[in-house]
Amino acid sequence: MDQPPDIENRPTLGADLRALRKSRGATLSWLAGELNRSVGWLSQVERDLSQPSVGDLRHIAAALDVPLSMLFGHAAAPAEEAGHVVRAGARRQIGSGEGGGGLVEELLSPDLTDDFEMVHSTFAPRSRAGEIIRRETQEVGFMISGRLELWIEGRTLTVGPGDSFRIRGEAHEWINPYDEAAVAIWVIAPPVY
């Protein structure tokens, strides 16, 4: 075994969700209803047989009245790196890309104790947010690869590799109408995950 036992035995997202739901006195039926999802789907998520999307996780956090970051465990790191370094294989994945517009994000920040967070975002080909997003944040993105169309307060802008953009609490939506995935690094203040 190359990994320390604490990595192999750390709680799963499903186990964390079940514990959080039960601690709030919520039933599977109630939470499934709040999410407009089936009890079977939620049960599969709690047993780690299905992965919720980023959108699903946002709705779960809202229904249980917790910050989204509470749904993600911290990856184990050597003591000398903890709080300073996040290794590529130890990033916290946020969502699965299924049913949430094709977006998969990984938290690049060691934790959420700073005034900002960094996120690695991969947008699947032919995907879109599917909803207008407005949050009280300042966000800056840098495109690594692929192209995105950004709708920001009624303007449609196309960004590609090497381009950067900023969103200041404005209504926006991302769209990847292209046949290749797009990858961006986002800096968001204050943290939303």
Side-chain angles (χ1 to χ4, degrees):
M1 287 193 227
D2 293 301
Q3 295 179 325
D6 62 333
I7 291 176
E8 292 176 0
N9 296 323
R10 70 179 172 209
T12 64
L13 173 61
D16 286 346
L17 287 175
R18 183 172 38 262
L20 184 60
R21 176 182 58 77
K22 287 184 172 185
S23 75
R24 298 285 194 267
T27 64
L28 274 172
S29 296
W30 177 84
L31 184 55
E34 291 294 305
L35 303 173
N36 199 26
R37 291 291 210 145
S38 72
V39 171
W41 175 83
L42 184 55
S43 175
Q44 287 183 344
V45 168
E46 288 190 355
R47 291 179 290 135
D48 295 306
L49 299 175
S50 182
Q51 285 291 317
S53 69
V54 172
D56 292 326
L57 291 172
R58 284 189 179 120
H59 293 297
I60 290 168
L64 296 175
D65 194 30
V66 296
L68 186 57
S69 61
M70 182 173 250
L71 302 182
F72 304 101
H74 293 272
E80 65 274 6
E81 293 181 1
H84 298 285
V85 176
V86 177
R87 300 288 176 192
R91 295 180 189 152
R92 292 190 278 170
Q93 185 169 316
I94 305 166
S96 68
E98 299 173 10
L103 172 63
V104 174
E105 295 183 293
E106 295 177 316
L107 187 62
L108 298 176
S109 301
D111 54 43
L112 299 173
T113 60
D114 294 312
D115 295 331
F116 64 92
E117 66 188 351
M118 286 185 62
V119 177
H120 180 278
S121 301
T122 302
F123 306 86
R126 306 252 170 236
S127 62
R128 70 183 305 153
E131 64 184 354
I132 302 301
I133 302 160
R134 181 186 293 269
R135 49 191 177 204
E136 296 301 316
T137 58
Q138 290 192 36
E139 305 183 31
V140 176
F142 176 77
M143 295 298 298
I144 301 294
S145 62
R147 293 177 292 163
L148 278 181
E149 291 185 6
L150 297 172
W151 180 89
I152 304 172
E153 293 285 341
R155 294 175 303 227
T156 301
L157 310 165
T158 302
V159 292
D163 294 341
S164 59
F165 54 90
R166 177 175 61 197
I167 301 167
R168 292 187 197 165
E170 298 153 305
H172 64 281
E173 181 184 20
W174 58 265
I175 305 160
N176 181 0
Y178 307 104
D179 291 326
E180 68 177 295
V183 177
I185 303 296
W186 292 66
V187 177
I188 306 169
V192 294
Y193 292 119

